[in-house]
Amino acid sequence: MKTAKVALFGLGTIGTGVAKILLQHANQIAHATGQPVELAKICDKDITTQRDLNLPPGLLTNDPDAIFSDPNISVAIELIGGLEPARSFVLRLLENGKNVITANKALLASHGAELFDAARKYKRTIAFEASVCGGIPILNALSTALQANTVQSINAIVNGTSNFILSKMENGKISYRDAVAQAQKLGYAEADPAMDVDGTDAVQKLTILAQLGFGAVVDWKAIPRIGIESVDALDFLYAKELGYRIKLLAVAVQSDGGLELHVSPTLVKADNPIARVQDAYNAVRIVGDSVGPVFFQGLGAGQLPTASAVVGDLIDTVLGRTAITFGALNLWNSGNSLIPIKSPAEFFGKSYLRLNVVDRPGVMCELSGILGKRNISIASMIQHEPVCETSGDSAVLFLTTHEVREGDLVQAILELEESSVVLGSIVRMRVQS
Amino acid sequence: MKTAKVALFGLGTIGTGVAKILLQHANQIAHATGQPVELAKICDKDITTQRDLNLPPGLLTNDPDAIFSDPNISVAIELIGGLEPARSFVLRLLENGKNVITANKALLASHGAELFDAARKYKRTIAFEASVCGGIPILNALSTALQANTVQSINAIVNGTSNFILSKMENGKISYRDAVAQAQKLGYAEADPAMDVDGTDAVQKLTILAQLGFGAVVDWKAIPRIGIESVDALDFLYAKELGYRIKLLAVAVQSDGGLELHVSPTLVKADNPIARVQDAYNAVRIVGDSVGPVFFQGLGAGQLPTASAVVGDLIDTVLGRTAITFGALNLWNSGNSLIPIKSPAEFFGKSYLRLNVVDRPGVMCELSGILGKRNISIASMIQHEPVCETSGDSAVLFLTTHEVREGDLVQAILELEESSVVLGSIVRMRVQS
């Protein structure tokens, strides 16, 4: 019986998890694939640090060529992360006849077309379940079981760090800064959590969901994103009054004129399952024309949940299921989008605004005038009494709008911020109808 | 390019949905499979009733042989339901070289080994995503993406009718009888809902989940089941006091000594996602050793959600993914169970009891004596004042136990029911720790 020889690039947290599963569950995986699956080589630039792992001798190398040039290795797992050298390594793996598995959302969001075209050229495959929502088998569902559907919308919590921070702020009634500190202490946030909290990570994952769900090809940098840095404890109070919770949502929704894509803190009705997703959990709600709404929730990060998805891909690749799916889906085909991407200015939707306004007569008239001339109609508004004396001559105003054209709202926000009635920046979120 | 010719047995609600998708989404399905997929023949005993469907002429027949004997038909979909003639038809389809797709949980629960052995003998496949939880791609997840895991437990709401009834009782504070009437009026329950409310449907689906998750082969009739017929509005009140909701749960959990399988109304902590599943929705919570908990929710019944799963299977079968998965999983292999099935008497768990006791001194002593001698320890207890005068000399007692051995509890319940302190039957549910 032939043995499938597998190489691993990157022995960090996830890589160690993958090695653990492959070494400890070897029998189970051989049973699932019908052949032994051998972890043949591991490449990492650091080959001295002791890992929580009993590696057989001779496995670890810091020479990537030892993998590229080994004709016995048929599958390689890329867990380096980031763009380079991950991109070059994946290209060289494909050139050298190896199927690739990756968890690298940044790489796919930036170079999907190049890598998938290369895989097609060399008749190899790329599998990437772990790149979005860790252990939740969401890409698999979109790629296979839900294929009878035209997908109408995807709403997802794809960044566990942000969801942890927002959950702690909401439940513990603590500040953004304190919640970030808690997340860092518990290992849910990096020392520099910028890519998580500013929406970059979520936007990159959204490009992958949009490719699988809608055949969309889009530059992730062009997707409008609002991070969670400006969310305040006060926002949760007002959202609660209105029956909402606040989640960082990645949204892809099909409407007249194409696909709307955006990432932003969003007021979600409290009875929506996605509103109840707590802590570092991820969740995805897909609406298909036949299946209706389907909801998935699980751990979107962490060593073993992510490794579960990687090894799932490995089993698929060894069995040949990946080759069938890869061929059928024809993903990122030369960068051609199967659906037009809507210009952000043309989005329609409800929004939530928090404004610091000067506390004097006539302010409301001026404010509603600026909104009104752009057809922005206010759905709800509240002005709380100043929280403390230092608030001085300003007041915090919360409002939600009816459905408005994004371009009009952006213009109105700019004009308000330049006006004499608004102090500082306006905090803006979306409201899910 | 070759056309995949498909036949359909049974043009009821689901069959009509499948025909709709195949006729209306022909291009999308051809795109997904890389070849035209043609609905070539439909067999139903009723070929005169007008369906909500524009069928091309000549498709409908009442002669099953027209399908068995047609060498051009490569795949057949069985949506007749029930055991016969579904079983004989599936066997004849396999013998005649056709791959089969079925939504028939009763058939698989009763004849899984026979049908799967026949499929292996004739080198054909059976796909059955629609047999459990309609449109939720749960069998697909267990069969492929989660294969790197050892599954530890599956908790599922698999019967939408029961969940609808329980939801209405809880939210509307109405009786079981009124909730059933509502379900019937809205089309969520049959005129005779016996198989749904007595747990039969749930137990049959549980045998399928247990086969995929654990390799268990079990006679569905041997799985202990408690239906929802005895659930009373009062139970929801007491459950709420304790922080629980009541759901009809199908449970498969691995413990020392094998697999515990049971279906019963269950008190689930209100913050568990499965406790919040409302109306006719289905949900499944799987815990894997690597992935941790993964939660799925969606429509478990209905024309198009179920048809979505059937057509998903069809795409898999035409593409050849089903053949790979079918070969790798080796399901219901000659009826050999890969895991021992625990005897119900040996289950361990918490329970909830509602007893009608005579209202006189000394009752509690006798009651706790009967429980105590079998090591059944009471975790909580409440006796409400009689609701109305007609309650007379009896009182309703609610209690929950600590973890107890099932065999001991069953004996204690029998002894209590035969004693002079308890009037009528004891209502018993499980409590999820």
Side-chain angles (χ1 to χ4, degrees):
Chain A
M1 189 181 296
K2 221 180 149 240
T3 294
K5 296 209 177 211
V6 180
L8 175 61
F9 281 93
L11 195 55
T13 305
I14 313 299
T16 302
V18 169
K20 271 186 197 170
I21 295 180
L22 291 178
L23 296 171
Q24 290 164 12
H25 285 8
N27 286 342
Q28 182 181 335
I29 291 159
H31 182 81
T33 57
Q35 62 182 286
V37 175
E38 181 195 332
L39 183 55
K41 283 202 176 75
I42 302 175
C43 178
D44 196 288
K45 60 187 176 186
D46 168 11
I47 56 171
T48 53
T49 299
Q50 192 59 40
R51 272 91 171 178
D52 167 27
L53 199 61
N54 251 336
L55 281 185
L59 236 61
L60 198 54
T61 174
N62 57 8
D63 174 19
D65 281 313
I67 292 171
F68 301 141
S69 66
D70 184 340
N72 294 317
I73 288 171
S74 57
V75 193
I77 300 166
E78 182 277 303
L79 298 172
I80 307 169
L83 298 187
E84 285 294 351
R87 175 183 152 276
S88 311
F89 282 11
V90 169
L91 289 171
R92 287 203 57 193
L93 287 165
L94 295 168
E95 278 169 35
N96 284 282
K98 289 143 196 13
N99 292 315
V100 171
I101 292 156
T102 179
N104 193 331
K105 76 267 163 181
L107 181 63
L108 294 174
S110 297
H111 300 292
E114 180 188 20
L115 299 176
F116 275 69
D117 284 345
R120 280 183 282 268
K121 178 177 165 190
Y122 296 110
K123 304 201 185 312
R124 288 299 172 270
T125 60
I126 301 175
F128 52 104
E129 180 68 70
S131 66
V132 181
C133 292
I136 308 175
I138 186 68
L139 303 189
N140 180 56
L142 282 169
S143 305
T144 66
L146 299 179
Q147 281 280 303
N149 289 269
T150 300
V151 176
Q152 296 172 328
S153 65
I154 300 177
N155 283 269
I157 294 173
V158 293
N159 185 271
T161 307
S162 295
N163 202 58
F164 181 89
I165 293 168
L166 293 176
S167 294
K168 290 299 155 197
M169 289 178 72
E170 181 167 32
N171 302 329
K173 298 188 170 53
I174 60 175
S175 71
Y176 173 74
R177 189 183 296 243
D178 289 346
V180 170
Q182 269 198 33
Q184 284 165 330
K185 198 173 157 192
L186 292 168
Y188 290 123
E190 309 282 336
D192 175 9
M195 305 265 276
D196 289 316
V197 299
D198 75 0
T200 299
D201 173 83
V203 159
Q204 290 176 339
K205 290 168 178 166
L206 180 60
T207 64
I208 297 170
L209 289 171
Q211 166 59 217
L212 282 168
F214 302 91
V217 177
V218 57
D219 177 3
W220 67 264
K221 295 186 203 77
I223 298 177
R225 69 183 157 83
I226 306 173
I228 62 167
E229 307 99 319
S230 304
V231 178
D232 189 277
L234 287 174
D235 297 316
F236 289 100
L237 292 180
Y238 186 53
K240 196 177 175 186
E241 268 186 57
L242 296 175
Y244 291 101
R245 293 189 183 176
I246 300 173
K247 294 290 165 190
L248 183 69
L249 281 201
V251 174
V253 58
Q254 197 159 14
S255 66
D256 295 340
L259 192 66
E260 286 193 17
L261 296 168
H262 48 76
V263 165
S264 46
T266 306
L267 276 66
V268 186
K269 277 282 178 204
D271 62 355
N272 186 324
I274 218 164
R276 293 163 174 160
V277 177
Q278 295 292 311
D279 300 333
Y281 279 88
N282 280 192
V284 184
R285 184 175 191 267
I286 297 172
V287 179
D289 63 342
S290 293
V291 77
V294 202
F295 178 75
F296 303 75
Q297 180 176 335
L299 292 164
Q303 182 177 67
L304 289 176
T306 310
S308 162
V310 170
V311 179
D313 274 352
L314 178 60
I315 292 169
D316 271 1
T317 299
V318 171
L319 278 172
R321 265 195 304 251
T322 303
I324 293 178
T325 308
F326 184 88
L329 295 183
N330 202 15
L331 296 173
W332 278 288
N333 184 13
S334 309
N336 296 319
S337 191
L338 302 180
I339 186 171
I341 310 298
K342 252 176 123 168
S343 157
E346 301 308 322
F347 294 176
F348 262 86
K350 299 178 184 174
S351 276
Y352 164 91
L353 304 179
R354 170 163 47 84
L355 316 87
N356 218 8
V357 295
V358 296
D359 199 7
R360 62 159 166 79
V363 160
M364 282 312 303
C365 176
E366 201 169 332
L367 184 86
S368 64
I370 292 174
L371 294 172
K373 74 178 176 195
R374 291 193 174 80
N375 280 318
I376 299 167
S377 168
I378 294 174
S380 78
M381 182 162 60
I382 201 162
Q383 179 185 332
H384 280 290
E385 295 200 346
V387 181
C388 59
E389 289 306 315
T390 58
S391 310
D393 295 334
S394 72
V396 181
L397 199 70
F398 306 85
L399 64 85
T400 60
T401 70
H402 286 295
E403 299 254 328
V404 300
R405 188 178 157 274
E406 178 93 0
D408 294 334
L409 185 69
V410 169
Q411 283 305 313
I413 288 175
L414 282 177
E415 187 173 340
L416 283 169
E417 287 179 339
E418 282 164 10
S419 77
S420 63
V421 298
V422 172
L423 305 169
S425 302
I426 293 174
V427 171
R428 182 258 170 120
M429 307 183 197
R430 290 176 206 273
V431 179
Q432 196 153 75
S433 338
Chain B
M1 188 182 295
K2 218 179 150 242
T3 294
K5 296 209 178 210
V6 179
L8 176 60
F9 281 92
L11 195 56
T13 305
I14 313 300
T16 303
V18 169
K20 270 185 196 170
I21 296 179
L22 290 178
L23 296 171
Q24 290 163 13
H25 286 8
N27 287 341
Q28 181 181 334
I29 291 159
H31 182 81
T33 57
Q35 61 182 288
V37 175
E38 182 195 330
L39 182 56
K41 282 203 177 75
I42 301 175
C43 178
D44 196 287
K45 60 187 174 185
D46 168 11
I47 57 171
T48 53
T49 299
Q50 193 58 41
R51 273 90 172 179
D52 168 27
L53 198 61
N54 251 334
L55 280 186
L59 236 62
L60 199 54
T61 173
N62 58 7
D63 174 19
D65 281 313
I67 293 170
F68 300 141
S69 65
D70 185 340
N72 294 315
I73 288 171
S74 57
V75 192
I77 300 166
E78 183 276 302
L79 297 172
I80 306 169
L83 298 187
E84 284 295 349
R87 175 183 151 277
S88 310
F89 282 11
V90 169
L91 289 171
R92 286 202 58 192
L93 287 166
L94 295 167
E95 277 170 34
N96 283 281
K98 290 148 196 10
N99 292 315
V100 171
I101 292 157
T102 179
N104 193 331
K105 76 267 165 184
L107 181 64
L108 295 174
S110 297
H111 300 292
E114 180 188 20
L115 299 177
F116 275 68
D117 284 346
R120 281 182 282 268
K121 178 176 168 193
Y122 296 110
K123 302 198 185 316
R124 288 298 172 271
T125 60
I126 301 174
F128 52 105
E129 180 68 70
S131 66
V132 181
C133 292
I136 307 175
I138 186 67
L139 303 189
N140 180 55
L142 282 168
S143 304
T144 65
L146 300 178
Q147 282 279 304
N149 289 269
T150 300
V151 175
Q152 296 171 328
S153 65
I154 300 177
N155 283 269
I157 294 173
V158 293
N159 185 272
T161 306
S162 296
N163 201 59
F164 182 88
I165 293 168
L166 293 176
S167 294
K168 289 300 156 198
M169 289 178 72
E170 180 166 32
N171 301 328
K173 300 187 170 53
I174 60 175
S175 71
Y176 173 74
R177 189 183 295 245
D178 290 346
V180 169
Q182 268 198 35
Q184 285 166 327
K185 198 173 156 192
L186 292 168
Y188 289 123
E190 309 282 337
D192 175 10
M195 304 264 276
D196 290 315
V197 298
D198 75 0
T200 299
D201 174 83
V203 159
Q204 291 177 338
K205 290 168 177 168
L206 181 60
T207 64
I208 297 171
L209 289 172
Q211 164 61 216
L212 282 167
F214 302 90
V217 177
V218 56
D219 177 4
W220 67 265
K221 296 186 203 77
I223 298 177
R225 68 184 157 83
I226 306 174
I228 62 167
E229 306 99 320
S230 304
V231 179
D232 188 277
L234 287 173
D235 297 316
F236 290 99
L237 292 180
Y238 185 54
K240 196 177 175 186
E241 267 186 58
L242 296 175
Y244 292 100
R245 293 189 183 176
I246 300 173
K247 295 290 166 191
L248 182 70
L249 281 200
V251 175
V253 59
Q254 198 159 11
S255 66
D256 295 340
L259 192 65
E260 286 193 17
L261 296 168
H262 49 77
V263 166
S264 46
T266 305
L267 276 65
V268 186
K269 277 281 179 203
D271 62 355
N272 186 324
I274 218 164
R276 292 162 173 161
V277 176
Q278 295 293 310
D279 299 332
Y281 277 88
N282 280 192
V284 184
R285 184 174 191 268
I286 298 172
V287 179
D289 64 340
S290 293
V291 77
V294 201
F295 178 76
F296 303 75
Q297 180 177 336
L299 292 164
Q303 182 177 67
L304 289 175
T306 310
S308 163
V310 170
V311 179
D313 273 352
L314 177 61
I315 293 169
D316 271 2
T317 299
V318 171
L319 278 172
R321 266 195 305 250
T322 303
I324 294 177
T325 308
F326 184 88
L329 295 182
N330 202 15
L331 296 173
W332 278 287
N333 184 12
S334 308
N336 296 320
S337 192
L338 301 180
I339 187 170
I341 310 298
K342 253 176 123 166
S343 156
E346 300 309 322
F347 294 177
F348 262 86
K350 300 178 184 175
S351 276
Y352 164 90
L353 304 179
R354 169 163 48 83
L355 316 87
N356 218 8
V357 295
V358 296
D359 198 6
R360 61 159 167 78
V363 161
M364 282 313 302
C365 175
E366 201 167 333
L367 185 86
S368 64
I370 291 174
L371 294 172
K373 75 177 175 197
R374 292 195 173 77
N375 279 317
I376 298 166
S377 167
I378 294 173
S380 77
M381 183 162 58
I382 200 162
Q383 179 186 332
H384 281 291
E385 293 199 347
V387 181
C388 58
E389 289 306 317
T390 59
S391 309
D393 295 334
S394 72
V396 181
L397 198 70
F398 306 86
L399 64 85
T400 60
T401 71
H402 285 295
E403 299 254 329
V404 300
R405 189 179 157 274
E406 178 93 1
D408 294 333
L409 185 68
V410 169
Q411 285 305 315
I413 288 174
L414 282 177
E415 186 172 343
L416 283 169
E417 287 178 339
E418 283 166 9
S419 78
S420 64
V421 298
V422 172
L423 304 169
S425 301
I426 293 174
V427 171
R428 183 258 170 123
M429 307 184 197
R430 291 175 204 276
V431 179
Q432 198 154 74
S433 338

